[in-house]
Amino acid sequence: MTSLIHLSDLAGDSDLHQSLQGGAVSIGNFDGVHLGHRALLERVRWHAQRVGGKAIAIVMDPHPASVLRPHGAPPSLTSLARRAELMSSSGIDHLLVCEATRDFLNQTAEEFFQRLIVEQLSAKAIIEGPNFFFGRDRAGNTTRLKELAAERQIDVEIVVPSVRDERMVSSSRIREAIASGDIVLANQMLGSRYRLTGVVTTGEQRGRTLGFPTANLGGVKTLLPEHGVYAALTCGEGCEGPTNHPTAVHIGPNPTFNDHQETKIEAHLLDYDGDLYGKSLSLTLVSQVRGVIKFADASALKQQLQIDLQTVRETVSSLQSRS
């Protein structure tokens, strides 16, 4: 499993600090750990084995844009813990988190390279994509990276980006797909199912009165897809397994009940009857079923919900039969 380490932890743990020396590293945001990231991370693993050190991915948290341009920061696709989880399959030993303070981000490209890559990690190899920039004002690029590395006899590999439909796979492109409700495309580029994680809170109990009890998910910190109904799988505390519960997820307001403003995440777990209040729950989205609709009355809504649940059941059944 990939361990999650903060750079500040190294100051008080000499053994941990020593274990990170002399490996292969890659610096990036790695949000989503998509197919392009995985191809790069696999090269990090290869170089780590070659130099006899650890495979290390490095991220800055919070996203630098949230410090420098708070209103322009992109919404996250994955938490740091989820990124570490996804990186495990690529053989990454450590996800090293650098706190993105203004002082840290104000380092020149040369200072950043010397202090982090040379002094903290004594890296033997650096693997990046062609759009890699580092240091204050993004002054460092791959050309400067190669120059600095060559001075210290550090190997550099620039990985060709992954392409889908003649376009580079990127976190921003995945955000576009999710925001438009195209979960199928997003999942294809991610190489995994997009996940929403939060804590089950008490709702207005409307679903229960309609015969479709829902778990209301609060505290979700990642990007929400376009308003609509989605087919999903549920895992988390209280569930028996990560793929045991096909789930219909409603994201958005409830216009049938004149609730036009508040965006809610309501999950109805098929074939499940249990108390989930206060528990952590994750929804792995499969596809969009339909958009948000205002129905004439509760009876019309119930009829549509029956259709939605059947669609979800068939979608998840088809997915599991191919697994």
Side-chain angles (χ1 to χ4, degrees):
M1 291 294 292
T2 300
S3 63
L4 186 61
I5 301 171
H6 289 264
L7 184 63
S8 57
D9 295 338
L10 304 186
D13 193 331
S14 58
D15 289 339
L16 177 62
H17 193 182
Q18 183 62 36
S19 72
L20 269 63
Q21 303 285 300
V25 306
S26 182
I27 305 163
N29 192 250
F30 298 107
D31 196 11
V33 193
H34 56 60
L35 292 178
H37 292 146
R38 295 180 193 212
L40 186 151
L41 293 171
E42 287 167 6
R43 294 304 298 165
V44 176
R45 173 74 263 163
W46 185 88
H47 281 281
Q49 292 174 329
R50 180 179 62 81
V51 302
K54 299 295 185 182
I56 304 170
I58 303 171
V59 299
M60 281 168 264
D61 184 68
H63 192 291
S66 68
V67 178
L68 302 175
R69 302 180 303 279
H71 299 295
S76 296
L77 299 172
T78 43
S79 66
L80 292 175
R82 176 64 171 158
R83 280 175 239 187
E85 178 185 348
L86 291 168
M87 286 179 179
S88 295
S89 63
S90 297
I92 297 301
D93 295 304
H94 305 294
L95 175 57
L96 180 64
V97 182
C98 301
E99 185 181 0
T101 63
R102 285 193 173 273
D103 286 343
F104 185 87
L105 297 175
N106 198 42
Q107 296 177 102
T108 65
E110 292 73 20
E111 289 170 339
F112 178 88
F113 185 92
Q114 177 64 27
R115 293 171 182 172
L116 181 62
I117 302 302
V118 177
E119 296 176 5
Q120 288 282 8
L121 300 176
S122 301
K124 297 290 184 64
I126 305 171
I127 302 86
E128 299 296 343
N131 296 325
F132 175 65
F133 296 93
F134 62 106
R136 185 172 61 228
D137 299 325
R138 293 162 58 90
N141 55 19
T142 55
T143 299
R144 187 60 180 139
L145 176 67
K146 290 177 181 178
E147 293 170 349
L148 292 170
E151 293 171 2
R152 296 162 178 80
Q153 297 182 314
I154 301 172
D155 297 329
V156 173
E157 180 182 354
I158 305 301
V159 177
V160 177
S162 297
V163 175
R164 184 173 185 86
D165 299 331
E166 301 183 351
R167 292 179 60 193
M168 184 177 73
V169 173
S170 66
S171 297
S172 59
R173 190 179 170 200
I174 292 168
R175 289 188 191 96
E176 291 173 5
I178 292 170
S180 68
D182 194 345
I183 299 300
V184 173
L185 176 59
N187 288 349
Q188 289 171 347
M189 291 189 287
L190 285 167
S192 61
R193 297 189 194 107
Y194 186 59
R195 179 179 292 186
L196 300 175
T197 298
V199 175
V200 178
T201 61
T202 303
E204 296 180 10
Q205 307 294 317
R206 283 179 182 150
R208 189 170 297 279
T209 61
L210 292 170
F212 304 93
T214 60
N216 291 264
L217 205 61
V220 176
K221 298 180 180 179
T222 49
L223 175 65
L224 296 183
E226 178 184 53
H227 289 171
V229 175
Y230 293 84
L233 290 163
T234 299
C235 59
E237 297 174 13
C239 295
E240 297 173 359
T243 58
N244 279 2
H245 300 290
T247 303
V249 183
H250 182 280
I251 299 175
N254 295 307
T256 304
F257 300 100
N258 296 316
D259 177 7
H260 295 282
Q261 301 299 323
E262 185 179 359
T263 295
K264 302 174 183 177
I265 306 171
E266 301 169 295
H268 174 74
L269 283 66
L270 281 67
D271 309 319
Y272 182 84
D273 183 18
D275 183 4
L276 295 172
Y277 290 119
K279 295 179 179 178
S280 176
L281 205 66
S282 291
L283 307 171
T284 56
L285 303 183
V286 176
S287 62
Q288 188 182 56
V289 174
R290 62 171 173 85
V292 171
I293 302 171
K294 181 174 181 177
F295 295 93
D297 51 36
S299 177
L301 172 58
K302 288 177 65 174
Q303 291 179 12
Q304 183 60 52
L305 289 176
Q306 292 284 6
I307 297 172
D308 293 341
L309 296 189
Q310 184 59 32
T311 301
V312 168
R313 191 181 298 279
E314 292 172 356
T315 299
V316 172
S317 178
S318 175
L319 180 74
Q320 292 175 329
S321 67
R322 296 195 303 268
S323 301

